[in-house]
Amino acid sequence: MKFFSTLVAATLGSLIAMAVVVVFFFMFFLALAASSEDTPRVRDGSILVAEISGPVPEQVSGDPFSRLLTDEPALDLRTLKRALEMASVDPRISGLWLKVGTSTTPWASMQEIRTALVDFKASGKPVVASSEDFFVTESEYFLMSAADSIYAAPGGLFEFNGFAIVASFYKGLLDKLDLEAQVVRAGKFKSAVEPYQRTDFSDENREQLSELIREHETEYLEAISEARGVSVDELRALAREDAILAVEQALGAGLITGLLHADQLEGVLRSSVSADSAADLRTIPIKRYARTPASSAGLREGRDGEVAVVYAVGTIVGGTSDSDSPFVTGLVGSETFAKAMQEARESKSVKSVVVRVNSPGGFAPAADAMLREIELTAAEKPVVVSMGDLAASGGYWISMAADTIVADPLTLTGSIGVFSLFFDTGDFFRNKLGVTFDKVSTSPYADMFSGVRPLSEAERQLLQRFTDETYERFIEIVQENRGMSRDEVVALAEGRVWLGTNAKELGLVDVLGDLDDAVDIAAELAGLEEGTYTTRALPRPKSFFERMTRSMEAEAVRVWQSVSLSDAERAILDEARQLHNALRDHGTVQARMLFDVRIQ
């Protein structure tokens, strides 16, 4: 019997292994076929079709397996914008059809895309926008408003109800679990810890967030007003009084051009490019067009040198940017960043460096180590910081060594403050699990980081002193690099978050612009003329199999989550990640905007 059961198990194991191999090779050849397509042919008179929905990340690997097996988009932010720039001067492209769906891209990145669309329209080629949904959201409309003509499907709805920041608070949950969050912080606006100590916003936090969304709304309404010829006052009244409009009302208010079904748009597109029939209407998807060489569109790319774009995207941690945990994503490790900066610094072909910061900050010593790498590079080559959606706290800290800081008008930045977060889990273990703890030690402070007892007053004072010293270090860095007095920095600090437009007015950043503007400035500082240089992205994103090799379990969970979870389930998982990250950071000094500011 044992022989028989062993034989059956071995046979089943072999069959399963063979099935895995077959599936693997099928996926391999499918991905190989996808990656080995010839350079796309662009016919004269083609309309570029740009479908924009879901996330548009800072970087993608470009690995066909990642697109095939995960939810990685085909284009990242810079590639998408580069394709629009190419198309604007490409004589083979006669117009643009912008198809906008539900987007999860943050506002600053959306503004970069919108700026690229406005630049395309300035070429004189027609831009037609249509919604892929029957509910046009404000973020979708933000992109669509850049077009010459805007169309929505009849019978749909149109969101125009202002902006809000909705936050999650975990104090009630911690109370139910007998967990206590103990906080040491510097900066009265340092709201990162509020979700673990309160059930609502503090007065200081409510003040800064209210001002933040008012400024955001003003930027939004001014952009729409300029594009559609409707006054800001009329738009603001519309948001206050009507909020959710039928698309017919949006048409009457001048927000859109017309109401058409998908098949009726074909006639609009034909007339925009003077095509006589459907057969004459030539289109090319932007993800295919992006694979054509810039030279074929008429753009010059020289060989006089390179501008390196080094990405610092995610929460700042010590060590590498990799994580074996399926619950931890979006990390920028100080060691990974240092290697990328060293490569840019030591490469003879790299003439200047752009550091693309899209980070809420993180572990303060790691941020300081990253600042040092930028300082070393700035001593040899021009360095420009480009702030994306978020360059706050530690993300602002590392930006200080740049020659020029460029922020998007909708960038969230500043948050000059630090905190330490400790969790007392003693009551949880004792009351919920029946587990108790005892100790022997050589010092009364030996177990202060154990997390199974509350901090004593003496320990809290020690930690407050260390936190205050870290805050003073932050203040001094800003003071030295921004040419301000200590009092001027403190007035803008205290952990307060600013919109990019305000940060420019207050002297926290130098220029308002996007990543392309930062690259232009870096090239100019290096003496490189337009069309005489190329860019190099660092560090290179890992391919699917590199990530899979790092952690089979983590990648499998991530793939499963991407294909099986609903939006509501993903939202719950995001909350679980927030708690996981907070527990991970127990006992460390953080220069981080832990509070997740989502303007919706």
Side-chain angles (χ1 to χ4, degrees), residues 54-55 57 60 65-74 544 547 555 558-559 561-563 570:
V60 296
F65 277 104
S66 294
R67 293 201 301 272
L68 184 66
L69 301 175
T70 72
D71 57 350
E72 181 178 271
F544 175 82
R547 298 198 307 269
E555 193 62 31
R558 200 180 73 82
V559 172
Q561 290 170 353
S562 70
V563 300
R570 289 192 184 95

Side-chain angles (χ1 to χ4, degrees), residues 265-476:
L265 276 169
E266 184 183 292
V268 174
L269 292 167
R270 284 206 314 270
S271 63
S272 70
V273 295
S274 302
D276 296 328
S277 65
D280 296 328
L281 190 63
R282 299 168 177 173
T283 61
I284 181 169
I286 194 169
K287 62 183 179 182
R288 279 180 52 80
Y289 179 76
R291 293 175 41 239
T292 61
S295 58
S296 68
L299 290 179
R300 292 192 305 131
E301 283 192 335
R303 298 182 179 180
D304 290 354
E306 293 179 310
V307 175
V309 180
V310 180
Y311 286 86
V313 178
T315 301
I316 295 172
V317 297
T320 68
S321 301
D322 299 325
S323 172
D324 291 333
S325 170
F327 291 100
V328 180
T329 57
L331 303 179
V332 51
S334 56
E335 291 181 10
T336 302
F337 181 80
K339 289 179 181 177
M341 289 300 296
Q342 183 178 5
E343 180 179 341
R345 187 166 62 246
E346 295 179 353
S347 172
K348 293 182 180 179
S349 62
V350 171
K351 306 303 181 183
S352 59
V353 180
V354 172
V355 180
R356 175 65 166 184
V357 181
N358 199 339
S359 171
F363 188 37
D368 208 36
M370 293 169 67
L371 174 70
R372 178 59 179 166
E373 288 298 326
I374 298 176
E375 288 174 340
L376 291 172
T377 306
E380 299 183 20
K381 300 175 180 182
V383 176
V384 175
V385 159
S386 168
M387 293 180 169
D389 302 299
L390 194 60
S393 207
Y396 188 72
W397 184 318
I398 69 174
S399 303
M400 289 298 93
D403 299 296
T404 305
I405 300 176
V406 181
D408 188 275
L410 297 182
T411 295
L412 298 179
T413 189
S415 190
I416 302 168
V418 297
F419 69 90
S420 296
L421 181 63
F422 300 82
F423 284 92
D424 174 16
T425 63
D427 288 344
F428 167 76
F429 280 105
R430 180 171 54 255
N431 300 334
K432 305 299 184 184
L433 303 179
V435 177
T436 58
F437 301 89
D438 202 353
K439 69 169 184 177
V440 293
S441 64
T442 59
S443 163
Y445 304 130
D447 67 331
M448 64 183 292
F449 296 117
S450 65
V452 296
R453 66 168 178 81
L455 295 171
S456 68
E457 184 57 34
E459 289 168 339
R460 186 178 288 275
Q461 289 177 7
L462 285 172
L463 293 168
Q464 184 68 61
R465 186 180 69 189
F466 183 64
T467 302
D468 289 342
E469 288 173 354
T470 305
Y471 181 53
E472 283 301 317
R473 162 75 174 150
F474 200 165
I475 294 291
E476 289 171 4

